[in-house]
Amino acid sequence: MKFIDKLLVKPEKQAVSTRIRQVYIEFSTHCNLSCRSCVRQSIIDFKKSHFTHALMRKLLPMLETLNPERIVLLGFGEALCNPNIKEYLEELKKLGTRLVLVSNASFLTEDMSSYLVRLPLDELYVSWDDDIQSASTTIRRGASSGIFRSNLEALTRIKTASGSALPILGMQIVAARSNYQFISRTLAYGRSIGIDRFIVSNLYPYSETMSGEILYDVLVKNIKLLKILRRETKFNQIKIANQNMYVNRSCPFMEKGTVFITAEGDISPCPELAYTHPAFYSGIKRMHNRYILGNINTHTLEEIWNSEAYMEMRGNFHYFEYPDCAYCQHPDLCETRTVKGSDCFGNPTPCGECLWARGVVLCP
């Protein structure tokens, strides 16, 4: 069967949650780093802000009513930059929901690490993309591998001394052409100090300069992560992203009943749709527009979840009713996209080319 024929007959079906089970909260869009791979460098009209006390007063009763299974503190900034972070964590911990923090580890001082272990946080993921043994950084601009290692080693010592199994410690690495040869030793380092699990994701090309860094381009020879990291999979609890673009799509956010809350209180179905930004596939630029379904200042999470627009969107995912746009070489010639602002099925979101739905990009 020809490749184009396979695209036309590819069956896609997935589970879609009927309730909110997972809530992502962006506590801050401030960050002390300026990573080359971060979408913050590309977001249109990006504004730095912190999640406020007023928003927390609105949100906490909603979360208590909904009782989600998991709250993930992840966004397009560093959550620990929020000056009220400890107060917010304590309030969220009272809910009894599994609480997960994703951090660049810069602010994991001994005091903060001791606090997070005492809380206790349920899961803590730290991210690192450069050579763990080098003093210089090319991707994580503004970071120091020495400080990263020192903070992480102090965290694992504090956790061990406490005798607690929590937080479960994870490390996330974004694989690219400029760093894939370093990943094995980063994993080995993490294992040696007591990191429990690892995620190796692929790079999302938010800028033209980063589009040449991806490892899953269908037009060039791929570097096989599974082959390179085969030895590490024997020793680590590790999840490695898919590198095959031709797979049945399945949205992990819809399956898990996810809502993403920005630092301004806006509600989006996932992190990707929270902000307007360019995306580059095989070096070709296309624009991904933000898709906001409400704001917790004016409506409850439950009201937004049950709105007509949100229900219609979730309905589209039962059989993934989105065209497969990732292979399109001329998105600028697509009239429905450039004139009507939708895909050729009439959907206003770019879900048809989503890398999360292919397992190419992973989140904790």
Side-chain angles (χ1 to χ4, degrees):
M1 184 181 289
K2 294 181 179 178
F3 179 71
I4 189 65
D5 293 330
K6 288 183 180 180
L7 290 179
L8 293 173
V9 301
K10 189 169 57 172
E12 295 175 304
K13 184 178 180 180
Q14 73 163 95
V16 178
S17 179
T18 57
R19 70 179 187 92
I20 298 174
R21 294 167 47 213
Q22 179 172 253
V23 178
Y24 277 58
I25 308 174
E26 182 179 61
F27 269 159
S28 182
T29 55
H30 290 255
C31 188
N32 60 306
L33 304 183
S34 184
C35 301
R36 289 180 60 225
S37 55
C38 183
V39 68
R40 296 173 81 254
Q41 314 300 331
S42 304
I43 290 174
I44 307 300
D45 298 325
F46 186 63
K47 185 169 96 173
K48 294 181 180 179
S49 58
H50 294 306
F51 204 81
T52 65
H53 280 103
L55 286 171
M56 278 297 285
R57 285 195 296 271
K58 293 272 190 179
L59 178 61
L60 286 170
M62 301 179 198
L63 294 176
E64 191 171 9
T65 298
L66 292 169
N67 190 28
E69 297 169 6
R70 196 168 182 252
I71 296 173
V72 183
L73 307 179
L74 176 151
F76 299 112
E78 169 58 48
L80 296 182
C81 281
N82 191 305
N84 303 307
I85 185 64
K86 288 185 178 180
E87 178 183 345
Y88 293 170
L89 286 171
E90 287 167 14
E91 291 297 326
L92 292 173
K93 189 63 182 176
K94 292 176 185 176
L95 298 172
T97 300
R98 192 166 189 81
L99 191 56
V100 183
L101 172 67
V102 182
S103 173
N104 65 32
S106 298
F107 300 105
L108 289 180
T109 61
E110 291 209 14
D111 174 70
M112 179 58 76
S113 292
S114 296
Y115 170 79
L116 295 175
V117 171
R118 287 195 310 270
L119 192 60
L121 199 66
D122 292 285
E123 297 175 47
L124 171 58
Y125 282 86
V126 296
S127 54
W128 187 258
D129 303 325
D130 284 294
D131 185 354
I132 196 70
Q133 296 179 355
S134 174
S136 62
T137 56
T138 59
I139 298 175
R140 304 186 73 76
R141 295 178 299 197
S144 161
S145 60
I147 292 174
F148 179 84
R149 292 195 306 270
S150 177
N151 287 353
L152 208 53
E153 288 163 20
L155 170 64
T156 55
R157 283 199 307 271
I158 291 166
K159 177 187 170 183
T160 300
S162 74
S164 174
L166 299 176
I168 294 170
L169 299 178
M171 182 183 290
Q172 177 161 1
I173 303 164
V174 176
R177 291 188 179 273
S178 58
N179 76 346
Y180 72 89
Q181 65 269 37
F182 307 138
I183 295 177
S184 290
R185 58 176 172 245
T186 300
L187 296 173
Y189 163 77
R191 182 177 72 250
S192 73
I193 65 168
I195 299 299
D196 301 302
R197 58 181 62 159
F198 300 86
I199 297 174
V200 180
S201 179
N202 277 298
L203 175 71
Y204 195 119
Y206 294 111
S207 67
E208 188 170 10
T209 56
M210 297 305 292
S211 65
E213 288 275 354
I214 63 175
L215 301 177
Y216 49 89
D217 195 328
V218 295
L219 302 179
V220 298
K221 184 178 179 180
N222 283 343
I223 294 165
K224 303 296 184 184
L225 286 174
L226 277 173
K227 183 177 180 180
I228 293 171
L229 302 177
R230 182 179 295 124
R231 181 177 181 276
E232 295 301 326
T233 60
K234 297 177 182 178
F235 303 108
N236 299 301
Q237 185 179 339
I238 179 172
K239 187 174 183 180
I240 301 173
N242 172 46
Q243 288 182 275
N244 177 16
M245 289 285 281
Y246 179 71
V247 291
N248 286 343
R249 298 166 297 173
S250 178
C251 176
F253 301 106
M254 287 293 165
E255 181 177 350
K256 296 174 183 176
T258 307
V259 294
F260 181 88
I261 308 174
T262 74
E264 298 288 325
D266 290 324
I267 302 300
S268 177
C270 66
E272 167 62 10
L273 297 178
Y275 295 98
T276 297
H277 62 81
F280 290 80
Y281 290 73
S282 302
I284 299 166
K285 182 180 180 180
R286 61 240 4 237
M287 191 62 70
H288 287 185
N289 294 317
R290 73 194 302 246
Y291 188 65
I292 302 301
L293 289 152
N295 188 290
I296 60 172
N297 277 307
T298 54
H299 294 87
T300 67
L301 285 175
E302 192 168 19
E303 287 170 341
I304 295 168
W305 178 261
N306 291 322
S307 67
E308 184 178 347
Y310 214 148
M311 288 193 292
E312 181 180 353
M313 184 180 190
R314 291 199 301 276
N316 288 342
F317 279 91
H318 287 291
Y319 290 94
F320 216 99
E321 296 174 32
Y322 293 87
D324 200 333
C325 302
Y327 300 97
C328 178
Q329 297 296 301
H330 298 286
D332 54 317
L333 299 181
C334 178
E335 183 180 356
T336 54
R337 185 174 197 136
T338 57
V339 178
K340 299 179 182 178
S342 67
D343 62 29
C344 56
F345 288 7
N347 300 302
T349 61
C351 300
E353 55 198 33
C354 180
L355 297 179
W356 278 270
R358 300 170 195 274
V360 171
V361 174
L362 303 175
C363 282

